[in-house]
Amino acid sequence: MTAVTATAPTGHHGFAHAARMEWIKLRSLRSTAWALLLTVAGMVAIGVVTMANTKVPSADKAAAFDPTNNVLAGVALGQLVVGVLGVLVVTGEYTSGSIRSTLAAIPDRRTLLTAKAAVYGTLTLLVGEAVVLVTFFAGRAALADGVPRPGIGDPGVLRAVLMSGAYLGLIGLLGIGIGALTRHTASAIATLVGVTFVLPAVIGGISGPTVAKFFPTMIAGNSLAVAKPVSDMLSPWTGFAVLCLYVAVVLGAGARLLARRDA
């Protein structure tokens, strides 16, 4: 009798194989560890320094005083690092030419992008939630005597902390989507920085919060990372829904173009 060994056809791996492959690539890059370490160290340091310099509010400002928003100030740095790394997860393969090998193994480009988004999004979500919790408790301990200390059980505080961690995961996915749209590192990073930092500052200076409040950074700082509502800004859950919509649209457009264009 002759034994026949069945072999899986090449180029027909499913989502599980694609996700495993993306995880191996992501964890093997030294830049991943360094970028996430920078995110953690930078956010904790900014949160601690900000809280250490937070003063007792005057009587007329006591009602609006929100130390939770202060301790989460480092999210601005975290989103930049996480977003840029998300861009590189996609564009780095085009720059090196390794995208051809990847597509040979995973010819279904939508499956490939879904795997990239799932792996990187999960990683940044977990890191984001961990770092905001560490930052909150470290920053809280750095407050001077007499300054009201926020408690994790206070109204709105836990929601603000967890949403800020989730925001980093969403920005990571936004970076993936922008990378898939442009396939070029410099233009993708420029787009990411323009949308998150430049445009809201310019538009906010011209028209105030009317339009600027819909940009990611404004949503993060004035809707998600607040325990007390900010006037003229989106509510936390509305802001979070808007961010999810942005991510869905950008990833959907990126997947469509990725499937239609040559490698």
Side-chain angles (χ1 to χ4, degrees):
M1 296 179 65
T2 302
V4 178
T5 303
T7 58
T10 59
H12 292 280
H13 298 305
F15 173 79
H17 293 89
R20 188 179 303 114
M21 182 177 71
E22 291 302 321
W23 171 240
I24 292 172
K25 288 190 291 185
L26 188 61
R27 73 184 184 187
S28 65
L29 294 173
R30 285 182 294 179
S31 58
T32 301
W34 283 109
L36 295 179
L37 180 61
L38 174 61
T39 300
V40 172
M43 286 182 60
V44 173
I46 292 173
V48 169
V49 170
T50 302
M51 294 295 264
N53 288 278
T54 298
K55 308 299 181 183
V56 178
S58 57
D60 59 323
K61 296 180 178 179
F65 181 63
D66 190 356
T68 302
N69 186 247
N70 291 355
V71 77
L72 296 172
V75 169
L77 170 65
Q79 72 171 351
L80 177 61
V81 179
V82 166
V84 169
L85 184 58
V87 165
L88 294 175
V89 167
V90 179
T91 62
E93 291 200 66
Y94 282 95
T95 301
S96 66
S98 62
I99 188 64
R100 294 181 180 87
S101 300
T102 299
L103 291 175
I106 312 293
D108 188 332
R109 301 185 180 196
R110 289 186 175 88
T111 297
L112 174 62
L113 187 62
T114 301
K116 285 182 180 293
V119 170
Y120 187 64
T122 300
L123 177 62
T124 51
L125 174 63
L126 294 176
V127 172
E129 296 295 3
V131 69
V132 292
L133 285 168
V134 171
T135 301
F136 175 79
F137 288 108
R140 184 177 181 274
L143 278 173
D145 294 336
V147 180
R149 296 177 184 272
I152 199 70
D154 293 346
V157 172
L158 181 60
R159 188 264 310 149
V161 172
L162 294 182
M163 276 191 167
S164 296
Y167 174 73
L168 293 180
L170 291 174
I171 289 295
L173 293 177
L174 198 63
I176 293 281
I178 293 173
L181 282 171
T182 66
R183 303 191 301 178
H184 187 268
T185 300
S187 60
I189 292 176
T191 301
L192 178 71
V193 172
V195 169
T196 53
F197 291 101
V198 180
L199 282 178
V202 172
I203 293 175
I206 295 173
S207 63
T210 304
V211 177
K213 66 183 179 182
F214 291 97
F215 283 85
T217 302
M218 296 292 284
I219 293 175
N222 299 286
S223 298
L224 304 187
V226 294
K228 298 181 179 180
V230 178
S231 60
D232 298 325
M233 292 293 172
L234 300 177
S235 68
W237 289 107
T238 299
F240 188 75
V242 169
L243 288 172
C244 290
L245 178 62
Y246 289 160
V247 170
V249 169
V250 172
L251 281 176
R256 181 175 177 81
L257 288 180
L258 191 65
R260 293 168 63 92
R261 295 184 299 199
D262 293 334

